[in-house]
């Protein structure tokens, strides 16, 4: 099924159909292309995962999901308190509780998510 979708996306790109998305995912084995800087952010943000196992899983997922190529304008990157992260963050239960409390205190969800991810896992295993 993946090959059919890839061929259709590639054909749409070749024949000028707009909205085809990232047809290069097919060429890169299903990995999404990101710039070298985006890839570096994705790998570096894994250091904030709450445990050693979570950090290892985070890096493995980045390596499975992304490849260095063209910048991906659809990658959700944000910076708060001098910490830049991209994509969906996998928060630990402690980090999720921190986000809920921060949002209740008036911080935006996106800011709370980044700050709790980066600063609330300091008692690492």
């Amino acid at each position: 099924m993946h090959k059919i979708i890839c061929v259709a996306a590639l054909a749409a790109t070749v024949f000028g159909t707009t909205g085809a998305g990232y047809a290069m995912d097919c060429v890169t084995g299903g990995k999404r292309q990101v710039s070298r800087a985006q890839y570096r952010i994705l790998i570096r943000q894994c250091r904030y995962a709450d445990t050693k196992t979570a950090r290892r899983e985070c890096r493995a997922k980045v390596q499975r999901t992304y490849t260095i190529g063209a910048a991906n304008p659809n990658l959700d990157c944000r910076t708060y308190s001098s910490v830049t992260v991209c994509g969906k963050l996998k928060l630990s239960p402690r980090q999720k509780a921190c986000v809920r409390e921060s949002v209740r205190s008036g911080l935006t969800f996106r800011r709370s998510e980044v700050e709790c991810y980066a600063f609330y896992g300091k008692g690492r295993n």
Side-chain angles (χ1 to χ4, degrees):
M1 183 64 161
H2 180 71
K3 287 183 182 181
I4 293 170
I5 293 169
C6 288
V7 169
L10 188 58
T13 302
V14 170
F15 295 111
T17 303
T18 59
Y22 268 71
M24 289 303 295
D25 288 355
C26 302
V27 177
T28 59
K31 291 184 177 186
R32 296 189 329 203
Q33 281 195 10
V34 294
S35 69
R36 184 173 305 280
Q38 289 172 320
Y39 190 85
R40 193 176 307 122
I41 291 166
L42 288 160
I43 287 292
R44 287 181 180 169
Q45 76 191 32
C46 292
R47 72 178 177 252
Y48 300 121
D50 204 21
T51 65
K52 186 175 184 177
T53 301
R55 290 188 293 277
R56 187 176 359 166
E57 289 171 358
C58 177
R59 286 187 295 271
K61 184 175 181 182
V62 169
Q63 292 166 347
R64 278 192 317 270
T65 306
Y66 299 99
T67 188
I68 296 172
N72 185 338
N74 298 319
L75 187 63
D76 178 26
C77 296
R78 56 249 186 237
T79 302
Y80 296 101
S81 300
S82 300
V83 175
T84 301
V85 297
C86 294
K88 185 170 171 42
L89 300 177
K90 185 176 179 183
L91 303 176
S92 71
R94 293 187 305 170
Q95 291 166 330
K96 287 177 185 177
C98 172
V99 171
R100 283 191 300 273
E101 182 60 34
S102 294
V103 168
R104 265 189 243 123
S105 298
L107 229 51
T108 64
F109 175 81
R110 285 173 63 83
R111 183 177 192 123
S112 298
E113 183 183 43
V114 172
E115 290 184 358
C116 290
Y117 183 66
F119 303 125
Y120 194 78
K122 296 303 180 190
R124 299 179 179 197
N125 327 17

